[in-house]
Amino acid sequence: MTYSVVIRAHQANPLIVRAVENLRAQSNPPLEIIVVDSASDPQASRVLKSLADIHLPYGENDFNYSRAIQIGVAAAKASHVLIHSTHVALVHPGLIETAFRQAMIDRCAVFYCRFGDALAFDTIDATSFDGRNGLANSCAMIPRHLLLERGFREDVFSAEDQEWASWFIREKKGRVLRMTTPHCLYENPHWNIQKKVNEDLAIALFVNRRERHPVNILIRMARALLALIRKRPERVQLHWRVACGLLASHFKPLKRRSRYF
């Protein structure tokens, strides 16, 4: 199978250089690497352009993750698109080939890779999808025709991958292969509490609306209190912010900007 890689980038650093090098070293290498560039620094854009087969400026509009993906998908030529983050490294050259082969065996049209201590394969379908395990845009392979049929929603400010997976699994009766491997490194230097808060709020608003139920809001508040007792301030912030956001969503539409962290 042929695939194009779409990488969204807003800066040039050693992580994206490493990501591209590992992609080109795959035993089944990509047909092309497309970089959708939202960098504000001209020097960073020059570096990103040197790494890509196709370099696409994002433009002057406010940044949106889903729109950036679709810009890359529109330019892709291969039958499949690998959506790949700048901070992911596929450090084994046979990883993509292995995932493709297993996806064919398990009759999964879509697969994604994540880091774990040991190699494992799981199939996610309507019986096992929990709103958080359907896809991971850090390293996800999707047939291009599906992305053209139904792209990622721009109004979904976070967890747009889970919202898309919900559509694919429920509406298309699709199956997703999840590959866990120690050879898919995830090294996001910008992870923070607000990123996780946005993800949880988006899942509750767009994927699993049962999480907006008042009982679940009370459970979040109770978890914040328990974390306070256990002196875990980060968990206190997470659960309290999510509870407040879910409560506010019952009175007015909750809006957030899609953004890099």
Side-chain angles (χ1 to χ4, degrees):
M1 292 186 180
T2 61
Y3 65 99
S4 302
V5 176
V6 172
I7 300 177
R8 301 141 296 161
H10 72 296
Q11 59 184 359
N13 57 40
L15 290 179
I16 189 172
V17 174
R18 182 189 65 174
V20 169
E21 288 175 348
N22 281 281
L23 285 164
R24 296 198 187 278
Q26 289 293 305
S27 57
N28 181 6
L31 176 69
E32 59 195 359
I33 293 178
I34 302 168
V35 172
V36 181
D37 175 11
S38 59
S40 56
D41 175 19
Q43 175 59 29
S45 290
R46 283 193 289 271
V47 174
L48 294 174
K49 191 172 184 178
S50 71
L51 294 172
D53 298 306
I54 299 176
H55 174 264
L56 301 172
Y58 176 80
E60 299 299 325
N61 297 325
D62 288 341
F63 180 78
N64 182 279
Y65 253 86
S66 297
R67 190 182 308 148
I69 292 172
Q70 294 308 120
I71 290 172
V73 169
K77 300 181 183 67
S79 62
H80 287 67
V81 174
L82 176 64
I83 303 169
H84 195 284
S85 292
T86 59
H87 50 263
V88 166
L90 307 182
V91 296
H92 190 287
L95 194 149
I96 293 295
E97 186 174 354
T98 298
F100 259 134
R101 186 181 303 115
Q102 190 65 41
M104 293 177 66
I105 292 171
D106 292 343
R107 293 178 296 171
C108 296
V110 173
F111 69 78
Y112 71 94
C113 303
R114 66 170 186 171
F115 175 78
D117 293 333
L119 180 65
F121 297 100
D122 301 287
T123 299
I124 313 300
D125 57 19
T127 65
S128 54
F129 177 55
D130 63 9
R132 287 176 166 78
N133 62 355
L135 199 65
N137 267 352
S138 54
C139 186
M141 186 78 75
I142 305 173
R144 182 172 180 265
H145 72 86
L146 286 175
L147 293 171
L148 293 175
E149 177 182 348
R150 206 273 196 179
F152 295 92
R153 283 173 50 181
E154 294 185 16
D155 60 319
V156 179
F157 52 82
S158 184
E160 71 285 341
D161 44 9
Q162 301 302 336
E163 193 280 330
W164 190 92
S166 176
W167 167 80
F168 174 64
I169 291 170
R170 291 168 179 160
E171 300 298 325
K172 305 295 282 188
K173 312 301 181 186
R175 293 157 56 90
V176 178
L177 176 71
R178 179 177 65 190
M179 179 181 183
T180 304
T181 170
H183 299 128
C184 179
L185 304 183
Y186 181 89
E187 298 176 355
N188 185 351
H190 304 296
W191 189 94
N192 56 47
I193 289 294
Q194 190 60 50
K195 184 179 188 321
K196 178 61 175 169
V197 169
N198 285 1
E199 289 173 355
D200 283 2
L201 289 174
I203 288 169
L205 291 173
F206 301 108
V207 183
N208 185 3
R209 294 186 65 83
R210 291 190 299 272
E211 294 190 16
R212 293 181 70 243
H213 194 280
V215 170
N216 289 321
I217 296 175
L218 290 174
I219 290 173
R220 281 281 186 174
M221 291 180 174
R223 292 174 71 181
L225 178 60
L226 182 60
L228 181 64
I229 294 170
R230 293 177 174 175
K231 298 181 179 180
R232 301 177 65 186
E234 288 191 351
R235 304 301 291 180
V236 174
Q237 289 186 53
L238 169 63
H239 294 307
W240 183 253
R241 289 185 189 180
V242 172
C244 291
L246 293 178
L247 183 61
S249 73
H250 285 270
F251 300 96
K252 63 179 181 179
L254 190 64
K255 295 183 179 180
R256 295 284 192 279
R257 288 182 61 184
S258 175
R259 54 171 294 187
Y260 283 107
F261 285 91

